[in-house]
Amino acid sequence: MELSSKKKLHALSLAEKIQVLELLDESKMSQSEVARRFQVSQPQISRICKNKEKLLADWCSGTANRERKRKRESKYSGIDEALLCWYHIARAKAWDVTGPMLLHKAKELADIMGQDFVPSIGWLVRWKRRNNVGFGARHVLAPSFPPEPPPPGLTSQAQLPLSLKDFSPEDVFGCAELPLLYRAVPGNLGACDQVQVLLCANSRGTEKRRVLLGGLQAAPRCFFGVRSEALPASYHPDLGVPWLEWLAQFDRDMGQQGRQVALLLAARVVEGLAGPPGLYHVKLLPLAASSTTPPLPSSVVRAFKAHYRHRLLSKLAAIQSDRDGTSLAEAAAGITVLDALHVASAAWAKVPPQLIFSSFVQEGLAPGKTPPSSHKASEMPPVPGGLSLEEFSRFVDLEGEEPGPGVCKEETGTEDEERDREGAFEPPPTKADALRALGTLRRWFECNSTSPELFEKFYDCEEEVERLCCL
């Protein structure tokens, strides 16, 4: 006995379902007659009528696959919708959205939502098909309205790199590497050494990246027992910046914040990268090799150096006051790379956001009104005592001068020479040492402080030290 064959189900695509609705609305055909025309059952036509509003919404959205016959809901519909929303934002900003980028973003969204989900290539193909995301060549969406011409007093947008216009000022970063003679003092440059400093900030000045300090020593004695993650800045045992490692960390940080940012770099830096860095959240915007515009405004770099020199001279003056007969050069000889790291971090924190923003505007790297130049003078540190404005200005720009006799341009001393400069080895302080130091410092404040407000800052420090001692 032959088994009766099942009736083959004929599913309609979205486009065909819209035709069904049009026939029912515009003609006097019954649901049964329309069902016979499309070779489907009458209950299927009835279900189409019940879902009329949803079908029309999918059709008008332009994102649904109009040839798809069944719409199965994904198990991870929340991730589907969130990724589709991010995709439309990315395309509106003319980002190059790739398959690996979508997989990476989907995984990030899943982690944020607390779902145990690992997207696969098959899932991505189905997601594209569900949401009518094209597989062909990439395209750039044109803006829905023409850009307005800049009013008088604004930097011309034509001066900005084309892709820079697609990012808000908060998401445009510039960075610069600079040499720093970290032990130099006015009038005596014989005992100075050089480190390399990397600075990075966004064009609004509201976000500064952690300072990176590079030196020739692989393991300076002053770092013994120091936890690198507890330091306010990073140290790299080379004068060259580890660009691939630094960019990868920057990309991870931006990914954790769900951001897409632009990073201005010198053309030689991008050309020197060994292959593409594989960034998902940071878009590199190299400035032309012929351009005189630095990726981080020169006035910002100079302000950092001015604050560093000012802070260093203040530190050396305090050392001199404790050691009678000690010259400035002798006091500077005891400054270690770890001291320089702390001073550099403090100096970078002192550079005001308004100076960074105004500098980006004047360099043509951010839109906005050009502020009066007189504002910048008030944002620089005061001239240290004993120096004229001209002498301090020359001291700030020390790295730009040709080295004279006896000036060392790199930190190349032997281990014995380094030991002489940094002193004998000292073990890390104990908890008891830290508590005794707190008592000494408080007693010193009690005998020398001129304001009770200083104790409020001391109490915060004391509380944190005591907390760490209890761990």
Side-chain angles (χ1 to χ4, degrees):
M1 183 173 113
E2 293 184 1
L3 296 174
S4 60
S5 59
K6 293 183 179 180
K7 184 178 179 181
K8 186 177 180 181
L9 179 63
H10 182 196
L12 299 181
S13 66
L14 177 61
E16 289 172 327
K17 290 176 181 177
I18 296 300
Q19 291 179 15
V20 167
L21 294 174
E22 290 176 348
L23 280 175
L24 292 173
D25 287 343
E26 297 175 2
S27 70
K28 297 182 179 179
M29 295 179 65
S30 65
Q31 291 187 5
S32 299
E33 290 173 329
V34 173
R36 284 194 294 271
R37 172 175 290 195
F38 284 91
Q39 297 181 351
V40 295
S41 64
Q42 185 273 331
Q44 187 173 346
I45 299 298
S46 177
R47 287 194 296 272
I48 292 174
C49 293
K50 290 180 180 179
N51 296 324
K52 177 179 179 180
E53 293 184 2
K54 191 173 188 308
L55 292 171
L56 290 175
D58 287 344
W59 178 265
C60 295
S61 69
T63 61
N65 186 344
R66 297 182 175 184
E67 300 305 318
R68 192 175 177 205
K69 296 186 177 181
R70 293 183 181 87
K71 187 176 181 181
R72 296 188 180 93
E73 293 296 333
S74 169
K75 180 180 178 182
Y76 302 98
S77 57
I79 299 174
D80 270 32
E81 294 174 3
L83 184 62
L84 183 62
C85 180
W86 177 87
Y87 172 79
H88 287 313
I89 294 173
R91 297 311 301 147
K93 293 186 176 182
W95 294 340
D96 282 340
V97 181
T98 63
M101 186 184 296
L102 287 169
L103 290 171
H104 183 78
K105 192 65 182 179
K107 177 58 178 171
E108 281 187 355
L109 292 170
D111 292 342
I112 293 172
M113 295 177 181
Q115 297 192 33
D116 186 13
F117 171 68
V118 179
S120 63
I121 297 296
W123 174 87
L124 180 61
V125 170
R126 292 190 295 273
W127 177 86
K128 286 183 174 183
R129 190 179 295 125
R130 279 195 299 272
N131 298 289
N132 199 30
V133 174
F135 286 84
R138 299 172 192 165
H139 61 283
V140 176
L141 298 181
S144 57
F145 52 90
E148 297 180 1
L154 295 187
T155 302
S156 172
Q157 294 297 299
Q159 297 176 5
L160 300 177
L162 179 61
S163 52
L164 196 59
K165 299 177 185 178
D166 301 322
F167 297 86
S168 65
E170 290 79 6
D171 291 332
V172 175
F173 287 76
C175 70
E177 51 179 325
L178 59 138
L180 182 67
L181 300 175
Y182 72 93
R183 281 189 181 128
V185 295
N188 191 324
L189 311 181
C192 61
D193 293 284
Q194 176 174 308
V195 292
Q196 200 76 359
V197 179
L198 179 67
L199 303 176
C200 179
N202 68 350
S203 64
R204 283 288 185 188
T206 54
E207 192 172 346
K208 300 175 187 174
R209 298 287 296 169
R210 183 183 173 98
V211 174
L212 176 67
L213 202 73
L216 287 179
Q217 292 184 340
R221 292 169 57 84
C222 55
F223 280 87
F224 182 80
V226 175
R227 297 173 57 192
S228 59
E229 62 271 17
L231 295 175
S234 303
Y235 178 77
H236 179 66
D238 194 343
L239 288 179
V241 174
W243 283 110
L244 289 177
E245 179 184 337
W246 187 86
L247 288 170
Q249 183 60 52
F250 189 18
D251 190 66
R252 285 193 293 270
D253 292 344
M254 295 300 101
Q256 290 174 357
Q257 300 176 28
R259 296 169 63 186
Q260 293 285 338
V261 302
L263 178 64
L264 298 166
L265 281 177
R268 61 176 180 79
V269 173
V270 179
E271 293 170 359
L273 295 176
L279 305 176
Y280 296 106
H281 304 278
V282 178
K283 183 173 184 180
L284 302 184
L285 298 180
L287 299 179
S290 58
S291 174
T292 58
T293 302
L296 186 68
S298 54
S299 53
V300 175
V301 173
R302 194 173 189 277
F304 162 77
K305 292 169 63 177
H307 282 287
Y308 181 93
R309 304 288 193 215
H310 185 273
R311 181 74 186 90
L312 177 65
L313 290 180
S314 299
K315 188 179 186 69
L316 296 179
I319 294 174
Q320 282 184 298
S321 66
D322 182 52
R323 305 173 188 172
D324 293 337
T326 301
S327 67
L328 201 61
E330 290 171 338
I335 297 297
T336 67
V337 177
L338 185 56
D339 293 330
L341 182 146
H342 283 285
V343 176
S345 179
W348 186 225
K350 286 283 187 181
V351 179
Q354 60 269 27
L355 172 63
I356 297 176
F357 177 55
S358 63
S359 300
F360 268 88
V361 171
Q362 289 190 338
E363 293 284 2
L365 298 175
K369 295 182 179 180
T370 304
S373 58
S374 58
H375 287 182
K376 288 190 176 182
S378 62
E379 294 164 355
M380 299 292 282
V383 177
L387 292 178
S388 66
L389 178 60
E390 183 180 354
E391 290 171 335
F392 183 59
S393 179
R394 192 182 308 118
F395 182 45
V396 169
D397 299 327
L398 183 64
E399 286 77 12
E401 298 181 359
E402 289 296 323
V407 178
C408 56
K409 295 298 286 181
E410 294 182 353
E411 186 183 346
T412 57
T414 64
E415 186 176 347
D416 291 338
E417 291 171 346
E418 183 63 25
R419 186 182 297 110
D420 292 339
R421 284 198 298 263
E422 298 193 358
F425 167 76
E426 293 183 5
T430 64
K431 295 179 180 180
D433 294 334
L435 294 174
R436 279 194 296 269
L438 279 178
T440 301
L441 183 59
R442 189 186 67 184
R443 181 61 177 162
W444 192 86
F445 282 155
E446 291 167 349
C447 298
N448 295 276
S449 177
T450 59
S451 171
E453 295 177 357
L454 183 60
F455 282 96
E456 296 179 8
K457 299 179 181 179
F458 171 77
Y459 295 149
D460 291 338
C461 177
E462 182 181 44
E463 183 179 1
E464 182 63 16
V465 171
E466 291 170 347
R467 185 189 68 81
L468 292 173
C469 287
C470 293
L471 295 180

